[in-house]
Amino acid sequence: MPETHSRADRISGTRYGNRPTMKDVAARAGVGLKTVSRVVNGETGVTAETERRVQEAIDALGFRRNDSARVLRKGRTASIGLVLEDLADPFYGPLSRAVEEVARAHGALLINGSSAEDPDREQELVLALCARRVDGLVVIPAGDDHRYLEPELKAGVATVFVDRPAGRIDADVVLSDNYGGARAGVAHLIAHGHRRIGFIGDMPRIHTAAERLRGYRAAMEDAGIPVEDSWMSLGVTDPGRVRRAAEEMLSGPSPVTAVFAGNNRVTVTVVRVLAEQARRVALVGFDDFELADLLRPGVTVVAQDAATLGRTAAERLFRQLDGLLLTPERIELPTRLITRGSGELPPTD
Amino acid sequence: MPETHSRADRISGTRYGNRPTMKDVAARAGVGLKTVSRVVNGETGVTAETERRVQEAIDALGFRRNDSARVLRKGRTASIGLVLEDLADPFYGPLSRAVEEVARAHGALLINGSSAEDPDREQELVLALCARRVDGLVVIPAGDDHRYLEPELKAGVATVFVDRPAGRIDADVVLSDNYGGARAGVAHLIAHGHRRIGFIGDMPRIHTAAERLRGYRAAMEDAGIPVEDSWMSLGVTDPGRVRRAAEEMLSGPSPVTAVFAGNNRVTVTVVRVLAEQARRVALVGFDDFELADLLRPGVTVVAQDAATLGRTAAERLFRQLDGLLLTPERIELPTRLITRGSGELPPTD
DNA sequence: TAGAGCCTGGACAACGTTGTCAGGTGCGGG
DNA sequence: CCCGCACCTGACAACGTTGTCCAGGCTCTA
């Protein structure tokens, strides 16, 4: 007989779902069902001898408690859901990990899904998670109307929004100071002598993009600089179009001498474009990214702390679950300007 | 009365767990329980009028099917588990996302957890996922003994290992050609005239690290170059120690003229160290990373495709679930050498 | 030695859903 | 006019677990 069993053996041998249950364990150990339950859950009131017998049966049968059934009985699932835009985006990795760590500390598992920036997909995911009866939700919203969550909130699903506020419902939200950060970043460029400053950002229907745009406008207005339309490119994220947008504002009738990039993906593409330019163009990006310090010049950024964002949200979620939070709040975390060279270049007309 | 309701209202109004059930919907609609089930699941055999009444009750009560109970009845959970090392590592983001996409295409959700490279934590996570009765598991193993999974495999939990093979059990595995990739990378350096080549990698108990080391040794042996101990640094990953290791092999009695970095984190740190050196040292890294092309010189790497790794594994998982795969297999994906400059620098003694 | 109290173990219902099956209604054909 | 058939609907059990409650046996004390 060969030493390795093929999967066919395994499946046909014991059909899927034919896992041993507490009943089977009880039968084998010659005890009652409830006694097995007690042993499995480490409850008191079982003789050492009985416990040994039960444990033996558990090991022999390869029994593992079915948490689905447990959930049904107990009400809580000890799992939380995280809905974000794209797990592959380096900004969300640390955020997700931070949420996971907090969940782990509370004995909960993390289910997560990517909305791909699509409101319908976000809703679909969120509702699927609610159907699974996750105890709580951390949501980085793609859509701007979350009334579909009303029944869930009523039913007691803890919910915290991150990075962008919820739309048309009253819920906790943890976000970065996008407006203040962008404003400071653009002011930094102005302080270094720039007046024709370009802005490349995402669609203004995305809250963060709108706020950063607002910060850009505010900084320009503070300095009394009228903004020309050709300096702004909104709703542009894919590399090809960002490239074109950057090239246009660099070569137009009143070419910019500096660029403010609305997020990390945009920044990276702009870096590429600027590297090809003959003249030196200043750059400040929103979001820090790895190796920004190793580029020549180093890239000056407005940094937000994704991990802290995630940790703060998750902690708030569990405080909700403990019944400690009564009123939805808006928590805004500060950003930090990190100067590395690209934002300190003087204008070259 | 204020327009916003406090969370206290919501919770005390309807206690947690007091969600409407099909029974409630049935009572309100004046129909039987099973009829509600039929409507909710889109089964046939319900009058339009009855369906309308039921739908009305559903909307009025904010009913949502409890998938936990459904799972209990049906046997499958339509969810799969992904256990990896660290979600925050840029290598795992795309992998995780790829797994998610495949899961989504099969109507399944993804639960994931980070093992933090700790075998105990890996086991804890895997077993927790099994207790939730995930239909399948994609595991990037941290440990090297997976016999604890035997009962689960017997019970029919589909399992695919990724990036590193399972230990002491017979299971599907999808991995990159670490040995061949490293060998090609080091051979590339040798072809450019280097003989004193350093290797900085992770602990050899990690399969990928061991394979890459083996590739390094093979390439050196192919060229008839005896390897000196001082050129190798194993089990080193945190930036501080990588830095020290790199500095030592650059300044020792027989200083290296080129470095092969065993993974992306090591590569990045080595780039930093090399940037501070007076003489030019060649570098080839295992794993590609964003912006590698923008550095001066661009960093030559042996690239593996994390997304393909994840997609391949997930697809295989679902084929297992469909009962189509009978024998565990080992699938090895090729790597690709991407030359960007750093690996083509000549030796400078 | 008898009664009280404690400890251990088991029977039973319930969690919310779905599969099975049988009952009831309306309609068409023989 | 009645039978049979198709169609719709609902009662009931079952999924695997946990909470409640009770029975029986033991020890301890008066």
mmCIF file with all atom_site columns, all heavy atoms in Angstrom, chain D residues 9-17:
data_model
loop_
_atom_site.group_PDB
_atom_site.id
_atom_site.type_symbol
_atom_site.label_atom_id
_atom_site.label_alt_id
_atom_site.label_comp_id
_atom_site.label_asym_id
_atom_site.label_entity_id
_atom_site.label_seq_id
_atom_site.pdbx_PDB_ins_code
_atom_site.Cartn_x
_atom_site.Cartn_y
_atom_site.Cartn_z
_atom_site.occupancy
_atom_site.B_iso_or_equiv
_atom_site.pdbx_formal_charge
_atom_site.auth_seq_id
_atom_site.auth_comp_id
_atom_site.auth_asym_id
_atom_site.auth_atom_id
_atom_site.pdbx_PDB_model_num
ATOM 1   P P     . DT D 1 9  ? -48.169 30.657 -3.502 1.00 0.00 ? 9  DT D P     1
ATOM 2   O OP1   . DT D 1 9  ? -49.058 31.805 -3.209 1.00 0.00 ? 9  DT D OP1   1
ATOM 3   O OP2   . DT D 1 9  ? -46.775 30.864 -3.918 1.00 0.00 ? 9  DT D OP2   1
ATOM 4   O "O5'" . DT D 1 9  ? -48.198 29.690 -2.251 1.00 0.00 ? 9  DT D "O5'" 1
ATOM 5   C "C5'" . DT D 1 9  ? -49.459 29.411 -1.623 1.00 0.00 ? 9  DT D "C5'" 1
ATOM 6   C "C4'" . DT D 1 9  ? -49.260 28.387 -0.526 1.00 0.00 ? 9  DT D "C4'" 1
ATOM 7   O "O4'" . DT D 1 9  ? -48.719 27.169 -1.081 1.00 0.00 ? 9  DT D "O4'" 1
ATOM 8   C "C3'" . DT D 1 9  ? -48.278 28.786 0.569  1.00 0.00 ? 9  DT D "C3'" 1
ATOM 9   O "O3'" . DT D 1 9  ? -49.034 29.144 1.713  1.00 0.00 ? 9  DT D "O3'" 1
ATOM 10  C "C2'" . DT D 1 9  ? -47.415 27.546 0.808  1.00 0.00 ? 9  DT D "C2'" 1
ATOM 11  C "C1'" . DT D 1 9  ? -48.106 26.475 -0.018 1.00 0.00 ? 9  DT D "C1'" 1
ATOM 12  N N1    . DT D 1 9  ? -47.214 25.451 -0.623 1.00 0.00 ? 9  DT D N1    1
ATOM 13  C C2    . DT D 1 9  ? -47.298 24.157 -0.178 1.00 0.00 ? 9  DT D C2    1
ATOM 14  O O2    . DT D 1 9  ? -48.062 23.801 0.703  1.00 0.00 ? 9  DT D O2    1
ATOM 15  N N3    . DT D 1 9  ? -46.441 23.274 -0.790 1.00 0.00 ? 9  DT D N3    1
ATOM 16  C C4    . DT D 1 9  ? -45.536 23.565 -1.803 1.00 0.00 ? 9  DT D C4    1
ATOM 17  O O4    . DT D 1 9  ? -44.831 22.690 -2.283 1.00 0.00 ? 9  DT D O4    1
ATOM 18  C C5    . DT D 1 9  ? -45.502 24.947 -2.227 1.00 0.00 ? 9  DT D C5    1
ATOM 19  C C7    . DT D 1 9  ? -44.563 25.362 -3.304 1.00 0.00 ? 9  DT D C7    1
ATOM 20  C C6    . DT D 1 9  ? -46.331 25.820 -1.618 1.00 0.00 ? 9  DT D C6    1
ATOM 21  P P     . DG D 1 10 ? -48.324 29.713 3.010  1.00 0.00 ? 10 DG D P     1
ATOM 22  O OP1   . DG D 1 10 ? -49.290 30.586 3.717  1.00 0.00 ? 10 DG D OP1   1
ATOM 23  O OP2   . DG D 1 10 ? -47.013 30.247 2.605  1.00 0.00 ? 10 DG D OP2   1
ATOM 24  O "O5'" . DG D 1 10 ? -48.118 28.399 3.882  1.00 0.00 ? 10 DG D "O5'" 1
ATOM 25  C "C5'" . DG D 1 10 ? -49.265 27.645 4.241  1.00 0.00 ? 10 DG D "C5'" 1
ATOM 26  C "C4'" . DG D 1 10 ? -48.839 26.369 4.941  1.00 0.00 ? 10 DG D "C4'" 1
ATOM 27  O "O4'" . DG D 1 10 ? -48.095 25.533 4.020  1.00 0.00 ? 10 DG D "O4'" 1
ATOM 28  C "C3'" . DG D 1 10 ? -47.915 26.570 6.150  1.00 0.00 ? 10 DG D "C3'" 1
ATOM 29  O "O3'" . DG D 1 10 ? -48.313 25.656 7.150  1.00 0.00 ? 10 DG D "O3'" 1
ATOM 30  C "C2'" . DG D 1 10 ? -46.542 26.204 5.617  1.00 0.00 ? 10 DG D "C2'" 1
ATOM 31  C "C1'" . DG D 1 10 ? -46.897 25.097 4.638  1.00 0.00 ? 10 DG D "C1'" 1
ATOM 32  N N9    . DG D 1 10 ? -45.917 24.859 3.594  1.00 0.00 ? 10 DG D N9    1
ATOM 33  C C8    . DG D 1 10 ? -45.274 25.791 2.824  1.00 0.00 ? 10 DG D C8    1
ATOM 34  N N7    . DG D 1 10 ? -44.446 25.273 1.944  1.00 0.00 ? 10 DG D N7    1
ATOM 35  C C5    . DG D 1 10 ? -44.559 23.900 2.163  1.00 0.00 ? 10 DG D C5    1
ATOM 36  C C6    . DG D 1 10 ? -43.899 22.818 1.520  1.00 0.00 ? 10 DG D C6    1
ATOM 37  O O6    . DG D 1 10 ? -43.079 22.855 0.602  1.00 0.00 ? 10 DG D O6    1
ATOM 38  N N1    . DG D 1 10 ? -44.294 21.592 2.045  1.00 0.00 ? 10 DG D N1    1
ATOM 39  C C2    . DG D 1 10 ? -45.213 21.433 3.060  1.00 0.00 ? 10 DG D C2    1
ATOM 40  N N2    . DG D 1 10 ? -45.465 20.179 3.423  1.00 0.00 ? 10 DG D N2    1
ATOM 41  N N3    . DG D 1 10 ? -45.836 22.434 3.663  1.00 0.00 ? 10 DG D N3    1
ATOM 42  C C4    . DG D 1 10 ? -45.457 23.636 3.168  1.00 0.00 ? 10 DG D C4    1
ATOM 43  P P     . DA D 1 11 ? -48.051 25.976 8.678  1.00 0.00 ? 11 DA D P     1
ATOM 44  O OP1   . DA D 1 11 ? -49.312 26.510 9.228  1.00 0.00 ? 11 DA D OP1   1
ATOM 45  O OP2   . DA D 1 11 ? -46.804 26.754 8.821  1.00 0.00 ? 11 DA D OP2   1
ATOM 46  O "O5'" . DA D 1 11 ? -47.815 24.522 9.284  1.00 0.00 ? 11 DA D "O5'" 1
ATOM 47  C "C5'" . DA D 1 11 ? -48.637 23.428 8.853  1.00 0.00 ? 11 DA D "C5'" 1
ATOM 48  C "C4'" . DA D 1 11 ? -47.927 22.107 9.122  1.00 0.00 ? 11 DA D "C4'" 1
ATOM 49  O "O4'" . DA D 1 11 ? -47.010 21.823 8.035  1.00 0.00 ? 11 DA D "O4'" 1
ATOM 50  C "C3'" . DA D 1 11 ? -47.091 22.053 10.403 1.00 0.00 ? 11 DA D "C3'" 1
ATOM 51  O "O3'" . DA D 1 11 ? -47.245 20.781 11.000 1.00 0.00 ? 11 DA D "O3'" 1
ATOM 52  C "C2'" . DA D 1 11 ? -45.672 22.300 9.914  1.00 0.00 ? 11 DA D "C2'" 1
ATOM 53  C "C1'" . DA D 1 11 ? -45.696 21.644 8.529  1.00 0.00 ? 11 DA D "C1'" 1
ATOM 54  N N9    . DA D 1 11 ? -44.800 22.265 7.555  1.00 0.00 ? 11 DA D N9    1
ATOM 55  C C8    . DA D 1 11 ? -44.667 23.591 7.287  1.00 0.00 ? 11 DA D C8    1
ATOM 56  N N7    . DA D 1 11 ? -43.795 23.865 6.336  1.00 0.00 ? 11 DA D N7    1
ATOM 57  C C5    . DA D 1 11 ? -43.324 22.626 5.955  1.00 0.00 ? 11 DA D C5    1
ATOM 58  C C6    . DA D 1 11 ? -42.379 22.221 4.988  1.00 0.00 ? 11 DA D C6    1
ATOM 59  N N6    . DA D 1 11 ? -41.730 23.084 4.197  1.00 0.00 ? 11 DA D N6    1
ATOM 60  N N1    . DA D 1 11 ? -42.130 20.909 4.865  1.00 0.00 ? 11 DA D N1    1
ATOM 61  C C2    . DA D 1 11 ? -42.794 20.049 5.659  1.00 0.00 ? 11 DA D C2    1
ATOM 62  N N3    . DA D 1 11 ? -43.718 20.302 6.600  1.00 0.00 ? 11 DA D N3    1
ATOM 63  C C4    . DA D 1 11 ? -43.932 21.625 6.696  1.00 0.00 ? 11 DA D C4    1
ATOM 64  P P     . DC D 1 12 ? -46.561 20.478 12.432 1.00 0.00 ? 12 DC D P     1
ATOM 65  O OP1   . DC D 1 12 ? -47.409 19.454 13.057 1.00 0.00 ? 12 DC D OP1   1
ATOM 66  O OP2   . DC D 1 12 ? -46.258 21.748 13.146 1.00 0.00 ? 12 DC D OP2   1
ATOM 67  O "O5'" . DC D 1 12 ? -45.183 19.794 12.015 1.00 0.00 ? 12 DC D "O5'" 1
ATOM 68  C "C5'" . DC D 1 12 ? -45.207 18.769 11.019 1.00 0.00 ? 12 DC D "C5'" 1
ATOM 69  C "C4'" . DC D 1 12 ? -43.797 18.282 10.765 1.00 0.00 ? 12 DC D "C4'" 1
ATOM 70  O "O4'" . DC D 1 12 ? -43.181 19.106 9.744  1.00 0.00 ? 12 DC D "O4'" 1
ATOM 71  C "C3'" . DC D 1 12 ? -42.865 18.349 11.989 1.00 0.00 ? 12 DC D "C3'" 1
ATOM 72  O "O3'" . DC D 1 12 ? -42.246 17.089 12.146 1.00 0.00 ? 12 DC D "O3'" 1
ATOM 73  C "C2'" . DC D 1 12 ? -41.882 19.450 11.641 1.00 0.00 ? 12 DC D "C2'" 1
ATOM 74  C "C1'" . DC D 1 12 ? -41.849 19.365 10.115 1.00 0.00 ? 12 DC D "C1'" 1
ATOM 75  N N1    . DC D 1 12 ? -41.436 20.610 9.417  1.00 0.00 ? 12 DC D N1    1
ATOM 76  C C2    . DC D 1 12 ? -40.593 20.507 8.309  1.00 0.00 ? 12 DC D C2    1
ATOM 77  O O2    . DC D 1 12 ? -40.238 19.388 7.941  1.00 0.00 ? 12 DC D O2    1
ATOM 78  N N3    . DC D 1 12 ? -40.209 21.639 7.676  1.00 0.00 ? 12 DC D N3    1
ATOM 79  C C4    . DC D 1 12 ? -40.625 22.839 8.107  1.00 0.00 ? 12 DC D C4    1
ATOM 80  N N4    . DC D 1 12 ? -40.222 23.915 7.438  1.00 0.00 ? 12 DC D N4    1
ATOM 81  C C5    . DC D 1 12 ? -41.487 22.955 9.243  1.00 0.00 ? 12 DC D C5    1
ATOM 82  C C6    . DC D 1 12 ? -41.862 21.839 9.863  1.00 0.00 ? 12 DC D C6    1
ATOM 83  P P     . DA D 1 13 ? -41.391 16.819 13.477 1.00 0.00 ? 13 DA D P     1
ATOM 84  O OP1   . DA D 1 13 ? -41.942 15.597 14.072 1.00 0.00 ? 13 DA D OP1   1
ATOM 85  O OP2   . DA D 1 13 ? -41.251 18.059 14.274 1.00 0.00 ? 13 DA D OP2   1
ATOM 86  O "O5'" . DA D 1 13 ? -39.968 16.449 12.835 1.00 0.00 ? 13 DA D "O5'" 1
ATOM 87  C "C5'" . DA D 1 13 ? -39.906 15.533 11.741 1.00 0.00 ? 13 DA D "C5'" 1
ATOM 88  C "C4'" . DA D 1 13 ? -38.574 15.655 11.047 1.00 0.00 ? 13 DA D "C4'" 1
ATOM 89  O "O4'" . DA D 1 13 ? -38.487 16.951 10.401 1.00 0.00 ? 13 DA D "O4'" 1
ATOM 90  C "C3'" . DA D 1 13 ? -37.352 15.556 11.970 1.00 0.00 ? 13 DA D "C3'" 1
ATOM 91  O "O3'" . DA D 1 13 ? -36.391 14.736 11.335 1.00 0.00 ? 13 DA D "O3'" 1
ATOM 92  C "C2'" . DA D 1 13 ? -36.890 16.995 12.113 1.00 0.00 ? 13 DA D "C2'" 1
ATOM 93  C "C1'" . DA D 1 13 ? -37.274 17.593 10.765 1.00 0.00 ? 13 DA D "C1'" 1
ATOM 94  N N9    . DA D 1 13 ? -37.532 19.031 10.776 1.00 0.00 ? 13 DA D N9    1
ATOM 95  C C8    . DA D 1 13 ? -38.269 19.747 11.689 1.00 0.00 ? 13 DA D C8    1
ATOM 96  N N7    . DA D 1 13 ? -38.338 21.026 11.415 1.00 0.00 ? 13 DA D N7    1
ATOM 97  C C5    . DA D 1 13 ? -37.608 21.159 10.251 1.00 0.00 ? 13 DA D C5    1
ATOM 98  C C6    . DA D 1 13 ? -37.308 22.279 9.448  1.00 0.00 ? 13 DA D C6    1
ATOM 99  N N6    . DA D 1 13 ? -37.719 23.510 9.706  1.00 0.00 ? 13 DA D N6    1
ATOM 100 N N1    . DA D 1 13 ? -36.552 22.065 8.344  1.00 0.00 ? 13 DA D N1    1
ATOM 101 C C2    . DA D 1 13 ? -36.135 20.822 8.082  1.00 0.00 ? 13 DA D C2    1
ATOM 102 N N3    . DA D 1 13 ? -36.360 19.690 8.757  1.00 0.00 ? 13 DA D N3    1
ATOM 103 C C4    . DA D 1 13 ? -37.105 19.940 9.844  1.00 0.00 ? 13 DA D C4    1
ATOM 104 P P     . DA D 1 14 ? -35.200 14.117 12.199 1.00 0.00 ? 14 DA D P     1
ATOM 105 O OP1   . DA D 1 14 ? -35.085 12.710 11.786 1.00 0.00 ? 14 DA D OP1   1
ATOM 106 O OP2   . DA D 1 14 ? -35.381 14.488 13.621 1.00 0.00 ? 14 DA D OP2   1
ATOM 107 O "O5'" . DA D 1 14 ? -33.913 14.893 11.667 1.00 0.00 ? 14 DA D "O5'" 1
ATOM 108 C "C5'" . DA D 1 14 ? -33.632 14.932 10.276 1.00 0.00 ? 14 DA D "C5'" 1
ATOM 109 C "C4'" . DA D 1 14 ? -32.705 16.087 9.998  1.00 0.00 ? 14 DA D "C4'" 1
ATOM 110 O "O4'" . DA D 1 14 ? -33.461 17.318 10.102 1.00 0.00 ? 14 DA D "O4'" 1
ATOM 111 C "C3'" . DA D 1 14 ? -31.556 16.215 11.002 1.00 0.00 ? 14 DA D "C3'" 1
ATOM 112 O "O3'" . DA D 1 14 ? -30.348 15.871 10.358 1.00 0.00 ? 14 DA D "O3'" 1
ATOM 113 C "C2'" . DA D 1 14 ? -31.553 17.683 11.419 1.00 0.00 ? 14 DA D "C2'" 1
ATOM 114 C "C1'" . DA D 1 14 ? -32.572 18.337 10.514 1.00 0.00 ? 14 DA D "C1'" 1
ATOM 115 N N9    . DA D 1 14 ? -33.380 19.371 11.151 1.00 0.00 ? 14 DA D N9    1
ATOM 116 C C8    . DA D 1 14 ? -34.130 19.282 12.290 1.00 0.00 ? 14 DA D C8    1
ATOM 117 N N7    . DA D 1 14 ? -34.749 20.409 12.616 1.00 0.00 ? 14 DA D N7    1
ATOM 118 C C5    . DA D 1 14 ? -34.359 21.288 11.612 1.00 0.00 ? 14 DA D C5    1
ATOM 119 C C6    . DA D 1 14 ? -34.659 22.632 11.375 1.00 0.00 ? 14 DA D C6    1
ATOM 120 N N6    . DA D 1 14 ? -35.464 23.357 12.161 1.00 0.00 ? 14 DA D N6    1
ATOM 121 N N1    . DA D 1 14 ? -34.117 23.212 10.293 1.00 0.00 ? 14 DA D N1    1
ATOM 122 C C2    . DA D 1 14 ? -33.318 22.483 9.502  1.00 0.00 ? 14 DA D C2    1
ATOM 123 N N3    . DA D 1 14 ? -32.962 21.206 9.614  1.00 0.00 ? 14 DA D N3    1
ATOM 124 C C4    . DA D 1 14 ? -33.522 20.668 10.705 1.00 0.00 ? 14 DA D C4    1
ATOM 125 P P     . DC D 1 15 ? -29.033 15.688 11.230 1.00 0.00 ? 15 DC D P     1
ATOM 126 O OP1   . DC D 1 15 ? -28.331 14.517 10.680 1.00 0.00 ? 15 DC D OP1   1
ATOM 127 O OP2   . DC D 1 15 ? -29.367 15.757 12.667 1.00 0.00 ? 15 DC D OP2   1
ATOM 128 O "O5'" . DC D 1 15 ? -28.188 16.995 10.909 1.00 0.00 ? 15 DC D "O5'" 1
ATOM 129 C "C5'" . DC D 1 15 ? -27.818 17.347 9.589  1.00 0.00 ? 15 DC D "C5'" 1
ATOM 130 C "C4'" . DC D 1 15 ? -27.269 18.751 9.635  1.00 0.00 ? 15 DC D "C4'" 1
ATOM 131 O "O4'" . DC D 1 15 ? -28.370 19.652 9.828  1.00 0.00 ? 15 DC D "O4'" 1
ATOM 132 C "C3'" . DC D 1 15 ? -26.351 19.008 10.828 1.00 0.00 ? 15 DC D "C3'" 1
ATOM 133 O "O3'" . DC D 1 15 ? -24.998 18.818 10.414 1.00 0.00 ? 15 DC D "O3'" 1
ATOM 134 C "C2'" . DC D 1 15 ? -26.605 20.467 11.195 1.00 0.00 ? 15 DC D "C2'" 1
ATOM 135 C "C1'" . DC D 1 15 ? -27.920 20.813 10.479 1.00 0.00 ? 15 DC D "C1'" 1
ATOM 136 N N1    . DC D 1 15 ? -29.030 21.266 11.370 1.00 0.00 ? 15 DC D N1    1
ATOM 137 C C2    . DC D 1 15 ? -29.646 22.492 11.122 1.00 0.00 ? 15 DC D C2    1
ATOM 138 O O2    . DC D 1 15 ? -29.237 23.193 10.192 1.00 0.00 ? 15 DC D O2    1
ATOM 139 N N3    . DC D 1 15 ? -30.666 22.897 11.928 1.00 0.00 ? 15 DC D N3    1
ATOM 140 C C4    . DC D 1 15 ? -31.075 22.110 12.932 1.00 0.00 ? 15 DC D C4    1
ATOM 141 N N4    . DC D 1 15 ? -32.090 22.541 13.684 1.00 0.00 ? 15 DC D N4    1
ATOM 142 C C5    . DC D 1 15 ? -30.474 20.857 13.186 1.00 0.00 ? 15 DC D C5    1
ATOM 143 C C6    . DC D 1 15 ? -29.457 20.486 12.397 1.00 0.00 ? 15 DC D C6    1
ATOM 144 P P     . DG D 1 16 ? -24.064 17.821 11.290 1.00 0.00 ? 16 DG D P     1
ATOM 145 O OP1   . DG D 1 16 ? -22.871 17.543 10.481 1.00 0.00 ? 16 DG D OP1   1
ATOM 146 O OP2   . DG D 1 16 ? -24.873 16.727 11.819 1.00 0.00 ? 16 DG D OP2   1
ATOM 147 O "O5'" . DG D 1 16 ? -23.634 18.744 12.517 1.00 0.00 ? 16 DG D "O5'" 1
ATOM 148 C "C5'" . DG D 1 16 ? -22.762 19.826 12.275 1.00 0.00 ? 16 DG D "C5'" 1
ATOM 149 C "C4'" . DG D 1 16 ? -22.659 20.673 13.523 1.00 0.00 ? 16 DG D "C4'" 1
ATOM 150 O "O4'" . DG D 1 16 ? -23.974 21.167 13.853 1.00 0.00 ? 16 DG D "O4'" 1
ATOM 151 C "C3'" . DG D 1 16 ? -22.169 19.925 14.768 1.00 0.00 ? 16 DG D "C3'" 1
ATOM 152 O "O3'" . DG D 1 16 ? -21.161 20.696 15.374 1.00 0.00 ? 16 DG D "O3'" 1
ATOM 153 C "C2'" . DG D 1 16 ? -23.409 19.807 15.643 1.00 0.00 ? 16 DG D "C2'" 1
ATOM 154 C "C1'" . DG D 1 16 ? -24.183 21.035 15.234 1.00 0.00 ? 16 DG D "C1'" 1
ATOM 155 N N9    . DG D 1 16 ? -25.624 20.940 15.424 1.00 0.00 ? 16 DG D N9    1
ATOM 156 C C8    . DG D 1 16 ? -26.421 19.837 15.253 1.00 0.00 ? 16 DG D C8    1
ATOM 157 N N7    . DG D 1 16 ? -27.696 20.076 15.484 1.00 0.00 ? 16 DG D N7    1
ATOM 158 C C5    . DG D 1 16 ? -27.728 21.413 15.820 1.00 0.00 ? 16 DG D C5    1
ATOM 159 C C6    . DG D 1 16 ? -28.828 22.236 16.178 1.00 0.00 ? 16 DG D C6    1
ATOM 160 O O6    . DG D 1 16 ? -30.020 21.927 16.254 1.00 0.00 ? 16 DG D O6    1
ATOM 161 N N1    . DG D 1 16 ? -28.433 23.549 16.447 1.00 0.00 ? 16 DG D N1    1
ATOM 162 C C2    . DG D 1 16 ? -27.131 23.989 16.380 1.00 0.00 ? 16 DG D C2    1
ATOM 163 N N2    . DG D 1 16 ? -26.932 25.275 16.662 1.00 0.00 ? 16 DG D N2    1
ATOM 164 N N3    . DG D 1 16 ? -26.100 23.232 16.051 1.00 0.00 ? 16 DG D N3    1
ATOM 165 C C4    . DG D 1 16 ? -26.468 21.965 15.793 1.00 0.00 ? 16 DG D C4    1
ATOM 166 P P     . DT D 1 17 ? -20.391 20.267 16.686 1.00 0.00 ? 17 DT D P     1
ATOM 167 O OP1   . DT D 1 17 ? -18.949 20.469 16.503 1.00 0.00 ? 17 DT D OP1   1
ATOM 168 O OP2   . DT D 1 17 ? -20.895 18.927 17.064 1.00 0.00 ? 17 DT D OP2   1
ATOM 169 O "O5'" . DT D 1 17 ? -20.935 21.308 17.729 1.00 0.00 ? 17 DT D "O5'" 1
ATOM 170 C "C5'" . DT D 1 17 ? -20.573 22.661 17.606 1.00 0.00 ? 17 DT D "C5'" 1
ATOM 171 C "C4'" . DT D 1 17 ? -21.580 23.556 18.274 1.00 0.00 ? 17 DT D "C4'" 1
ATOM 172 O "O4'" . DT D 1 17 ? -22.909 23.106 17.955 1.00 0.00 ? 17 DT D "O4'" 1
ATOM 173 C "C3'" . DT D 1 17 ? -21.551 23.552 19.805 1.00 0.00 ? 17 DT D "C3'" 1
ATOM 174 O "O3'" . DT D 1 17 ? -20.704 24.617 20.225 1.00 0.00 ? 17 DT D "O3'" 1
ATOM 175 C "C2'" . DT D 1 17 ? -22.993 23.850 20.199 1.00 0.00 ? 17 DT D "C2'" 1
ATOM 176 C "C1'" . DT D 1 17 ? -23.804 23.623 18.916 1.00 0.00 ? 17 DT D "C1'" 1
ATOM 177 N N1    . DT D 1 17 ? -24.926 22.669 19.057 1.00 0.00 ? 17 DT D N1    1
ATOM 178 C C2    . DT D 1 17 ? -26.155 23.142 19.432 1.00 0.00 ? 17 DT D C2    1
ATOM 179 O O2    . DT D 1 17 ? -26.371 24.309 19.685 1.00 0.00 ? 17 DT D O2    1
ATOM 180 N N3    . DT D 1 17 ? -27.141 22.197 19.504 1.00 0.00 ? 17 DT D N3    1
ATOM 181 C C4    . DT D 1 17 ? -27.008 20.850 19.246 1.00 0.00 ? 17 DT D C4    1
ATOM 182 O O4    . DT D 1 17 ? -27.977 20.093 19.333 1.00 0.00 ? 17 DT D O4    1
ATOM 183 C C5    . DT D 1 17 ? -25.700 20.418 18.868 1.00 0.00 ? 17 DT D C5    1
ATOM 184 C C7    . DT D 1 17 ? -25.443 18.976 18.564 1.00 0.00 ? 17 DT D C7    1
ATOM 185 C C6    . DT D 1 17 ? -24.725 21.330 18.796 1.00 0.00 ? 17 DT D C6    1
#
